[in-house]
């Protein structure tokens, strides 16, 4: 396994369109996180899954955002009716509970809303 | 509220010198701390971590120091190399909760040849 994988790496979309990002965590990692990062800032927590259960959502995650992890493996993050303010890098991370809790990040998915 | 902050926005060091990057945190419930390195256009890369029951941990060319009394964390990089140039983030979490990380704003390390 080569780490957390994210797809697509870059996405340019028109305002109002929907976009979906996919994350494949490190094998057997039961915790999966989504973060958002804008230029010059540290990553901000969006949401977190333990297995298939979404256990916490940030207030940053408006109603236009939805994340799923249906089988407890890969996850998707969908943004509906995109706005220019959604332009950011969306990072996925994973960890194995009770095994150090070290959180490993993917390379991110860049979103540009025009 | 919770916050994790870095004292300096940029740090410039000569190649071969040691680098020290400092970080302050305010959540006394945090028991796990991580340093990440982020190169332009890439995701954060794990460098080293430390738990609150330790005050020092060493890796390859890196050392993390934790001072819980003053809620201070530092990353020391020995013999800094051009490849160390990046943005560095400290992050904290409470592993008794959900282990989500709270990041600071980051500091840019620039290595002069």
């Amino acid at each position: 396994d080569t780490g957390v994988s994210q797809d697509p790496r870059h996405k340019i979309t028109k305002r109002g369109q929907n976009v979906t990002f996919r994350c494949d965590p490190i094998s057997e990692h039961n915790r999966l996180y989504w973060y958002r990062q804008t230029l010059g800032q540290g990553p901000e927590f969006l949401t977190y899954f333990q297995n298939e259960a979404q256990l916490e959502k940030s207030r940053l995650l408006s109603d236009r955002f939805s994340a799923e992890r249906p089988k407890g493996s890969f996850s998707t993050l969908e943004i509906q009716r995109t706005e220019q303010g959604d332009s950011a890098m969306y990072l996925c991370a994973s960890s194995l509970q009770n095994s150090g809790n070290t959180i490993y990040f993917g390379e991110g998915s860049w979103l540009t809303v025009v | 509220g919770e916050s994790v902050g870095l004292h300096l926005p940029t740090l410039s060091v000569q190649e071969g010198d040691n680098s020290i990057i400092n970080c302050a945190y305010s959540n006394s419930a945090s028991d796990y701390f991580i340093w990440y390195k982020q190169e332009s256009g890439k995701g954060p890369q794990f460098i080293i971590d430390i738990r609150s029951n330790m005050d020092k941990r060493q890796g390859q060319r890196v050392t993390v120091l934790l001072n819980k009394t003053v809620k201070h964390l530092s990353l020391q990089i020995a013999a800094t190399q051009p490849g160390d140039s990046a943005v560095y983030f400290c992050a904290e979490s409470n592993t008794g909760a959900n282990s989500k990380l709270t990041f600071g704003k980051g500091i840019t390390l620039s290595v002069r040849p």
Side-chain angles (χ1 to χ4, degrees):
Chain A
D1 189 289
T2 57
V4 179
S5 177
Q6 293 189 244
D7 182 72
R9 291 293 318 280
H10 299 88
K11 178 72 175 179
I12 300 174
T13 190
K14 292 183 178 179
R15 188 175 53 186
Q17 297 295 305
N18 299 344
V19 296
T20 299
F21 299 113
R22 177 182 168 119
C23 172
D24 287 273
I26 293 172
S27 296
E28 300 181 352
H29 277 194
N30 59 339
R31 287 183 168 177
L32 186 147
Y33 306 80
W34 284 100
Y35 284 78
R36 180 171 69 186
Q37 186 177 26
T38 54
L39 285 175
Q41 302 296 316
E44 297 175 295
F45 172 79
L46 292 179
T47 190
Y48 144 73
F49 291 84
Q50 182 158 305
N51 300 311
E52 65 277 7
Q54 187 173 19
L55 297 186
E56 186 171 341
K57 294 168 60 175
S58 165
R59 286 170 294 181
L60 294 174
L61 214 64
S62 75
D63 291 344
R64 296 185 296 106
F65 288 70
S66 62
E68 296 181 344
R69 195 184 183 196
K71 298 182 179 179
S73 56
F74 74 92
S75 175
T76 58
L77 175 68
E78 181 183 16
I79 309 173
Q80 296 181 326
R81 304 181 303 282
T82 53
E83 302 173 356
Q84 287 187 322
D86 297 332
S87 296
M89 181 160 69
Y90 291 85
L91 290 160
C92 179
S94 70
S95 69
L96 182 60
Q97 184 186 8
N98 298 328
S99 182
N101 286 312
T102 303
I103 297 176
Y104 296 94
F105 283 83
E107 296 287 38
S109 292
W110 279 100
L111 173 65
T112 301
V113 181
V114 297
Chain B
E2 300 175 6
S3 68
V4 178
L6 297 174
H7 296 307
L8 300 173
T10 60
L11 177 65
S12 180
V13 299
Q14 189 72 38
E15 181 179 356
D17 287 352
N18 297 335
S19 302
I20 300 176
I21 303 172
N22 296 305
C23 175
Y25 67 95
S26 62
N27 185 0
S28 57
S30 293
D31 61 357
Y32 180 59
F33 306 87
I34 307 180
W35 281 100
Y36 287 95
K37 171 186 179 184
Q38 188 171 29
E39 297 174 314
S40 180
K42 296 186 177 181
Q45 176 187 356
F46 172 84
I47 300 174
I48 192 168
D49 58 1
I50 189 167
R51 304 196 177 280
S52 58
N53 61 350
M54 304 173 67
D55 54 19
K56 180 178 180 180
R57 190 167 189 220
Q58 289 184 296
Q60 188 174 15
R61 283 201 308 117
V62 295
T63 301
V64 56
L65 299 177
L66 175 63
N67 185 330
K68 295 181 288 295
T69 302
V70 295
K71 297 188 180 69
H72 184 268
L73 193 69
S74 70
L75 176 70
Q76 300 178 1
I77 305 173
T80 312
Q81 302 170 359
D84 295 327
S85 294
V87 177
Y88 289 80
F89 292 97
C90 66
E92 60 172 328
S93 74
N94 179 350
T95 57
N98 59 19
S99 296
K100 74 177 184 183
L101 296 171
T102 301
F103 284 81
K105 288 187 176 182
I107 182 168
T108 301
L109 176 65
S110 176
V111 182
R112 303 188 302 273

